[in-house]
Amino acid sequence: MENKQSTYQPIILIFIALALIQFISWITPSLFLFERVANYAPVHSSLEFISIIISVMIFSIIFAKTDRKCSLNLIILACTSLSVALLDFMHTMSFPGMPDFFTPNDPEKTIDFWLAGRTFSAIGLLIIAFSPWQATYIGKLRWILLLATLLLITLFAYIVLFFPELTPKTYIDGQGLTSVKIVSEYVVIALYLTAALRFFYQIHSQQHTYNIVSLFTATTILAMSELFFTFYSDVTDIYNLLGHIYKLIAYAFIYHGVFISSIKAPYQQMYESKNLLQSVIESIPLRVFWKDRDSRYLGCNALFAHDAGESEPINIINKNDSQLAWKNDAELYRADDQYVMNTMTSKLAYEQPQTKESGERIWLRTSKVPLFNTANDVIGMLGIYEDITQQKQAEETQRKLGRSLQLLSQCNSTLIHASDEQSILNDICRLTVEIGGYKMAWVGLKKNDKAKTVKPIVKYGDFGDYFENLHITWDDTELGQGPTGTAIRTQQPIINQDYLSNPRIKPWRNQALQLGYQSSIALPLVSNNIVIGALSIYSDEPHAFVEEEVRLLEELANDLAYGIITLRTRLERQEMEKTNAFLVHHDTLTRLPNRLLLRDRFEQAVALAQRQNTLVAILFLDLDNFKHINDSLGHTLGDKLLIHSVERMQLCLRETDTISRHGGDEFIILLTNLHDIETAEIITQEILEIFREPIQMDEYVLNVSFSIGISMFPNDSKNFDGLVKKADTALYTRDQ
């Protein structure tokens, strides 16, 4: 008994030291309330991954090597260790500062996985503490327990990730931890202490085949670790860090107590085997490798060997990166290795690209740490990595979709406020390049000529001399087989994902590649089954257009087509309204003001004359012999004669004077701001003189003259109708 107690004494001393540290931190908090731990996320991840590896080691070795007859407690401990490893892994991946784990990371998700891991650990140790350790036939029971554990963990993870509303709130933003979280921590502490008291009771009760002191110490330290998490005020302060360190120490005691002491004999041969490390790392679902100081491989797991193009890990030994599948990236990897070993600094969870032999580019998340010998000299480095290509692709897709949504929003705003078609097309192409991030964009309108050409109207971006000799048609010919022509002809979006391999873009390939175009898309501009052209967009990346992005670009093209058609319709309607408004006040043939507009101008002229004490004259003109010309030479020539006559008369008038067609071959001229009647007579004489010169109409030479009657305001009448009648009478009298 004394020998046994002397063996336990170092462990008990360690426990007392840890308890003393915690007691001091509790009674003198000012010594521990430091600023936040710098770069805590990598430290947290490192500590958690070490504890995960220890848990996986406990599970894999116990579960894989236990005989059919063994203690059920070992199987419970193995399943508990696996559940804790999985939950700690999900907790680590959900920690703030880590990439999103399936769903956006937040404190709630992190705490949920943390509490679940601690609860599983506490319940498992409690069951072991109160269960006998005698060997029994396990049979299929271990598989049933393993399956039940995995199902339970999967169900819990599914709820936390996708139905977080089903879990009680443990953290409220702006308020901190909830009472549920705090009470849960104390419940877990109570479970640990209960198990610890049971182990303590068993220490002197009888002989044991396992190290009861180590389990007692580990369980007590776990309770102490959990107590730290009721102290901290920030997830990055010293209490949080101490809690994780205590948890790691406790896991080490569990490993020592169960693996070293309890099942040492059955696995002594494995301990002596040089394949021990290989057996452990093969259980880790990551690529694991280690190298010497010269970056030559000393070992790896099977997953890593497969990635390297080798069938077995042994084929990797003594090779360097330049001899493996990623030889193009060998210098980059060697530089990382040397940095870690020379600076004795870990590089954790950093992302880097890798080019495979096929040319495919993938992304890895890598961690590397230096390896030390017993003299604390660096002898190499240990690394792990995981393939995050799908995650990066998903992130890139989301980035493109966000960019496309912003582009769609800006373009729709432009369409709403557009006033002319040219501005619309200019702005859309500019926004496509500047906001969409594409290399070039242009709009070509469909021509209905014999060659069925596509005419570039607007272009923006890096296009160089691309359009100088560009020949595109929407006809079903060789020059019409490109994306733009095909899109117009078929009314469907056409995607060219790679200029190097697409045979249909051969006529434009060389010039496009010189300008850096790698892929393109042509989107028909269609509205109400009317195709007006196409919007073509170019990217400097191959396979740049993903399905979700194409749908947004289609929506953009449809909105653009609708906007153009709507604008054209609106402008046509405005032009028609303008024409109708013009025709209300003007003669359709001569475009002269009609009687209605002339009357309005007369009223304005009279008002001015009354203020300035001036005169207003009305000239009534009749084109002599017009009916004879119209009947003998035709109405078309007669209309031309009227128009030409108006042009001659306007040469004799001032800018303030107005000619109006009264009807047929009759005209009325309004002369304003006259100071004497002689001015009206002079203008009348000029009109008569200018028509003494014959008029050439087609092959006819016509001699044209006017009969003119004059009336004056206010001498002859003070109203419009009276003056017109006086002038008409004067003309008739003169003709007599």
Side-chain angles (χ1 to χ4, degrees):
M1 179 68 67
E2 290 181 359
N3 291 337
K4 186 178 294 185
Q5 288 178 347
S6 63
T7 303
Y8 297 156
Q9 283 178 355
I11 299 176
I12 295 174
L13 290 175
I14 293 173
F15 162 64
I16 293 173
L18 294 175
L20 184 60
I21 292 173
Q22 187 167 52
F23 178 74
I24 293 173
S25 71
W26 178 56
I27 64 173
T28 58
S30 60
L31 297 178
F32 289 84
L33 295 179
F34 302 123
E35 296 290 333
R36 295 185 178 185
V37 178
N39 300 320
Y40 185 69
V43 175
H44 173 268
S45 299
S46 300
L47 293 174
E48 287 290 358
F49 274 118
I50 293 173
S51 66
I52 291 169
I53 291 175
I54 294 175
S55 299
V56 171
M57 290 172 61
I58 294 172
F59 162 76
S60 60
I61 296 174
I62 292 177
F63 201 84
K65 298 302 181 181
T66 48
D67 297 328
R68 292 179 60 192
K69 187 176 182 181
C70 68
S71 174
L72 182 60
N73 281 346
L74 286 177
I75 304 301
I76 295 174
L77 183 58
C79 293
T80 300
S81 299
L82 177 62
S83 64
V84 170
L86 293 173
L87 290 168
D88 279 352
F89 175 79
M90 289 183 275
H91 161 71
T92 303
M93 298 306 293
S94 303
F95 197 81
M98 298 291 285
D100 286 344
F101 181 60
F102 289 101
T103 58
N105 290 346
D106 57 40
E108 182 71 32
K109 185 168 69 170
T110 305
I111 293 172
D112 285 345
F113 285 124
W114 171 263
L115 286 177
R118 308 292 69 76
T119 303
F120 270 79
S121 174
I123 293 175
L125 288 171
L126 189 66
I127 294 173
I128 293 170
F130 286 89
S131 299
W133 276 83
Q134 66 266 24
T136 184
Y137 287 100
I138 301 299
K140 297 181 179 179
L141 181 59
R142 65 175 183 166
W143 296 106
I144 295 174
L145 290 175
L146 174 62
L147 180 61
T149 299
L150 293 175
L151 288 175
L152 190 58
I153 296 300
T154 302
L155 177 61
F156 178 78
Y158 183 76
I159 293 174
V160 171
L161 290 174
F162 302 107
F163 298 95
E165 66 274 10
L166 299 181
T167 61
K169 289 290 183 181
T170 59
Y171 179 87
I172 299 176
D173 191 20
Q175 299 181 19
L177 302 178
T178 65
S179 58
V180 173
K181 199 273 183 184
I182 296 172
V183 170
S184 298
E185 295 279 8
Y186 283 110
V187 169
V188 171
I189 292 172
L191 294 176
Y192 278 136
L193 290 177
T194 303
L197 289 173
R198 177 63 180 174
F199 286 132
F200 182 78
Y201 171 79
Q202 294 175 352
I203 288 178
H204 300 289
S205 62
Q206 56 183 355
Q207 295 292 328
H208 298 285
T209 59
Y210 63 100
N211 194 327
I212 191 67
V213 175
S214 293
L215 289 179
F216 161 71
T217 306
T219 308
T220 306
I221 294 175
L222 284 172
M224 297 166 61
S225 168
E226 202 65 18
L227 191 59
F228 273 116
F229 294 101
T230 65
F231 292 170
Y232 77 88
S233 59
D234 186 274
V235 294
T236 64
D237 66 19
I238 196 68
Y239 290 123
N240 195 291
L241 177 62
L242 287 174
H244 281 86
I245 293 175
Y246 273 44
K247 186 188 76 168
L248 188 59
I249 295 172
Y251 282 14
F253 273 102
I254 293 176
Y255 177 84
H256 177 271
V258 175
F259 181 77
I260 300 297
S261 301
S262 300
I263 58 175
K264 180 177 180 180
Y267 297 107
Q268 188 64 42
Q269 185 176 2
M270 179 179 292
Y271 271 106
E272 297 172 353
S273 173
K274 64 179 181 180
N275 296 323
L276 173 61
L277 182 58
Q278 196 70 37
S279 300
V280 174
I281 66 170
E282 291 298 345
S283 303
I284 301 175
L286 298 171
R287 278 69 171 171
V288 183
F289 59 93
W290 55 100
K291 301 178 181 180
D292 63 14
R293 287 292 311 223
D294 295 323
S295 291
R296 290 191 300 263
Y297 284 96
L298 298 176
C300 66
N301 62 0
L303 292 174
F304 181 91
H306 179 267
D307 286 356
E310 300 291 346
S311 58
E312 297 181 7
I314 193 173
N315 297 335
I316 299 292
I317 297 176
N318 289 327
K319 290 186 177 181
N320 56 43
D321 289 305
S322 62
Q323 297 171 289
L324 301 177
W326 45 76
K327 57 186 177 183
N328 293 331
D329 301 306
E331 289 303 317
L332 174 64
Y333 296 164
R334 179 179 176 82
D336 291 341
D337 298 342
Q338 295 304 313
Y339 171 82
V340 169
M341 292 185 286
N342 293 337
T343 64
M344 293 186 289
T345 303
S346 300
K347 289 190 68 174
L348 303 176
Y350 65 96
E351 298 177 0
Q352 59 184 172
Q354 183 182 100
T355 304
K356 304 178 75 172
E357 286 185 313
S358 61
E360 178 187 359
R361 192 172 181 83
I362 64 174
W363 283 88
L364 310 177
R365 181 180 291 118
T366 305
S367 294
K368 293 181 178 180
V369 297
L371 289 178
F372 300 90
N373 60 14
T374 55
N376 208 32
D377 296 325
V378 176
I379 60 172
M381 54 78 55
L382 169 69
I384 60 172
Y385 75 80
E386 59 178 327
D387 189 335
I388 59 169
T389 304
Q390 290 185 348
Q391 176 183 326
K392 295 290 287 186
Q393 290 174 343
E395 291 174 356
E396 178 64 16
T397 298
Q398 288 301 116
R399 184 185 69 82
K400 288 184 176 181
L401 290 181
R403 186 181 63 186
S404 298
L405 283 171
Q406 184 182 4
L407 171 62
L408 182 60
S409 175
Q410 290 288 333
C411 289
N412 283 338
S413 177
T414 297
L415 291 173
I416 291 173
H417 299 93
S419 59
D420 65 273
E421 185 173 324
Q422 188 69 24
S423 296
I424 290 178
L425 299 178
N426 283 331
D427 289 342
I428 294 300
C429 289
R430 177 181 58 81
L431 292 171
T432 300
V433 173
E434 293 179 354
I435 295 180
Y438 301 104
K439 195 169 182 64
M440 193 266 286
W442 67 282
V443 172
L445 296 186
K446 168 188 173 185
K447 306 294 287 185
N448 291 312
D449 55 1
K450 184 177 180 180
K452 297 183 177 180
T453 56
V454 179
K455 182 181 180 181
I457 299 299
V458 172
K459 45 192 176 290
Y460 191 88
D462 186 5
F463 51 81
D465 59 352
Y466 188 69
F467 292 92
E468 289 186 7
N469 298 308
L470 186 67
H471 300 290
I472 296 180
T473 176
W474 56 278
D475 196 8
D476 194 9
T477 61
E478 181 183 9
L479 293 178
Q481 298 304 313
T484 302
T486 306
I488 293 175
R489 186 172 60 256
T490 63
Q491 299 187 25
Q492 295 294 325
I494 303 299
I495 306 173
N496 164 38
Q497 293 286 27
D498 191 350
Y499 265 96
L500 285 173
S501 60
N502 188 349
R504 304 190 71 174
I505 51 87
K506 182 179 178 181
W508 311 279
R509 177 181 290 122
N510 292 336
Q511 191 175 9
L513 292 176
Q514 288 175 2
L515 291 168
Y517 305 154
Q518 296 292 326
S519 58
S520 65
I521 184 172
L523 303 145
L525 302 178
V526 185
S527 181
N528 296 326
N529 293 322
I530 300 174
V531 184
I532 61 176
L535 169 64
S536 298
I537 303 172
Y538 296 72
S539 173
D540 55 5
E541 299 177 4
H543 301 277
F545 300 95
V546 298
E547 182 179 352
E548 296 86 349
E549 184 180 15
V550 170
R551 284 202 293 267
L552 292 175
L553 292 176
E554 282 187 77
E555 186 175 347
L556 168 62
N558 291 336
D559 291 346
L560 175 57
Y562 178 79
I564 291 174
I565 294 298
T566 301
L567 180 61
R568 288 180 178 179
T569 303
R570 185 170 73 245
L571 293 177
E572 289 174 359
R573 184 173 62 252
Q574 291 174 352
E575 187 64 28
M576 184 178 297
E577 292 173 352
K578 183 178 178 181
T579 300
N580 291 338
F582 180 84
L583 293 177
V584 169
H585 297 91
H586 293 80
D587 175 55
T588 57
L589 175 63
T590 62
R591 318 297 287 181
L592 292 175
N594 59 16
R595 188 182 182 92
L596 180 64
L597 181 57
L598 182 65
R599 181 187 294 275
D600 180 68
R601 292 186 180 180
F602 171 80
E603 297 296 335
Q604 297 178 31
V606 166
L608 180 63
Q610 289 174 337
R611 289 196 302 270
Q612 297 181 352
N613 196 25
T614 57
L615 302 174
V616 175
I618 292 290
L619 307 184
F620 198 103
L621 297 85
D622 181 63
L623 185 60
D624 299 330
N625 301 318
F626 176 73
K627 185 176 185 306
H628 174 72
I629 295 173
N630 205 34
D631 292 343
S632 60
L633 300 181
H635 294 284
T636 300
L637 189 137
D639 291 343
K640 289 181 180 181
L641 177 59
L642 290 174
I643 294 171
H644 185 78
S645 298
V646 169
E647 293 172 353
R648 281 199 179 186
M649 281 189 287
Q650 287 174 330
L651 296 175
C652 304
L653 301 179
R654 302 166 300 169
E655 290 184 0
T656 57
D657 301 332
T658 301
I659 307 177
S660 170
R661 188 182 180 195
H662 188 61
D665 57 353
E666 295 177 338
F667 298 89
I668 297 176
I669 297 177
L670 173 66
L671 303 178
T672 65
N673 197 26
L674 300 175
H675 295 283
D676 51 55
I677 192 171
E678 286 77 11
T679 303
E681 293 175 346
I682 292 172
I683 293 175
T684 302
Q685 191 60 37
E686 288 178 355
I687 294 174
L688 294 174
E689 287 294 331
I690 201 171
F691 280 96
R692 294 187 186 281
E693 183 179 346
I695 297 175
Q696 180 74 40
M697 285 283 125
D698 296 338
E699 69 272 21
Y700 303 102
V701 177
L702 304 176
N703 291 309
V704 177
S705 63
F706 272 97
S707 297
I708 304 176
I710 305 175
S711 62
M712 299 296 294
F713 170 88
N715 301 338
D716 296 323
S717 178
K718 293 185 179 181
N719 62 70
F720 178 76
D721 292 328
L723 288 170
V724 170
K725 185 176 181 181
K726 287 282 187 178
D728 188 13
T729 301
L731 178 148
Y732 177 76
T733 303
R734 180 176 294 183
D735 286 343
Q736 294 298 320

